[in-house]
Amino acid sequence: MRVVESGDPAAPRSVLVVGCIHGTETAGVAVTRRLIEAKPPPRERLWIMDCLNPDGAAKGTRDNAHGVDLNRNFPWHWRPRYMPGDPQYSGPRPASEPETRVAMRLIERIRPTVTIWFHQPVGIVRAFGHSALVARRFAHLTGLPFRLLPWLSGSASNWQNHRFPHAASFVVELPPGPLSRAAAARYVRAIRTLAACPES
Ligand SMILES: [Zn+2]
């Protein structure tokens, strides 16, 4: 796993972008790669992670190498879901997976103002509660429809939105298939717009 810090380390606010958590939903990596290659923003701070689930992405599976759905493994309202072998298996206990603990430690250390988790293939921006405001703005900037949907138990955004009630975390479900260059550029612009002014 690689996390890249870009921009101004003294900026009071930051945006964390995770390109992939489910190994079969990797289109967001085109966005994180572009963000990493782009000139760092002069006054903003970005944290960029291509993929929280490198084993799943390498094998072409939704889950990690233990067969656990990382987005059901976070500790807020975690509950046992499904059995080993099911693609939405929650794992044996909250934060049982090393990838989950890496994400939690990172987020607890950097405390991003906004976190964006890329998924596929629904083609929506989804959020709930206080994160809906910034997620709606992101939807508007990218042209994706916004959906107000409760968080799933054990999901990363559910944990973040309860652990850090003054920060926002939301999900961008990209459409199926790879992103075009133009689309990837549009998401990069939207992320940089949010990073410049995450609270309005
Ligand atoms: Zn997903």
Side-chain angles (χ1 to χ4, degrees):
M1 284 175 218
R2 171 175 75 154
V3 184
V4 175
E5 183 183 6
S6 174
D8 178 4
R13 292 178 294 263
S14 64
V15 174
L16 168 65
V17 184
V18 183
C20 162
I21 179 171
H22 287 142
T24 47
E25 304 169 7
T26 57
V29 176
V31 179
T32 51
R33 293 223 170 114
R34 264 179 179 256
L35 279 171
I36 290 166
E37 286 161 11
K39 202 163 139 249
R43 281 176 297 277
E44 296 87 49
R45 189 181 198 189
L46 292 174
W47 294 88
I48 309 153
M49 178 185 268
D50 282 328
C51 191
L52 183 64
N53 183 7
D55 293 339
K59 286 196 305 171
T61 61
R62 173 184 174 94
D63 299 339
N64 74 351
H66 299 153
V68 173
D69 183 340
L70 297 173
N71 209 36
R72 303 291 180 272
N73 189 240
F74 283 75
W76 184 263
H77 281 184
W78 180 91
R79 59 189 173 90
R81 280 170 69 102
Y82 305 106
M83 300 297 287
D86 187 282
Q88 292 193 49
Y89 175 49
S90 59
R93 60 190 180 278
S96 60
E97 300 312 297
E99 297 91 336
T100 310
R101 296 194 296 274
V102 164
M104 290 171 65
R105 274 202 299 273
L106 174 72
I107 289 161
E108 280 169 345
R109 184 164 73 82
I110 69 177
R111 304 213 168 201
T113 318
V114 175
T115 305
I116 300 170
W117 294 88
F118 279 103
H119 290 256
Q120 283 182 282
V122 187
I124 57 169
V125 176
R126 71 175 287 176
F128 199 67
H130 67 267
S131 290
L133 194 67
V134 65
R136 260 185 220 280
R137 187 163 158 241
F138 191 81
H140 181 72
L141 288 167
T142 57
L144 283 178
F146 173 79
R147 296 281 181 272
L148 189 68
L149 294 168
W151 298 122
L152 297 164
S153 63
S155 72
S157 290
N158 201 355
W159 171 72
Q160 281 187 277
N161 277 288
H162 288 90
R163 175 78 179 76
F164 302 102
H166 300 294
S169 170
F170 62 91
V171 164
V172 178
E173 282 268 356
L174 295 170
L179 275 186
S180 68
R181 290 171 62 88
R186 190 165 69 241
Y187 287 101
V188 165
R189 280 197 303 274
I191 289 164
R192 293 181 73 146
T193 302
L194 275 199
C197 192
E199 276 149 359
S200 65

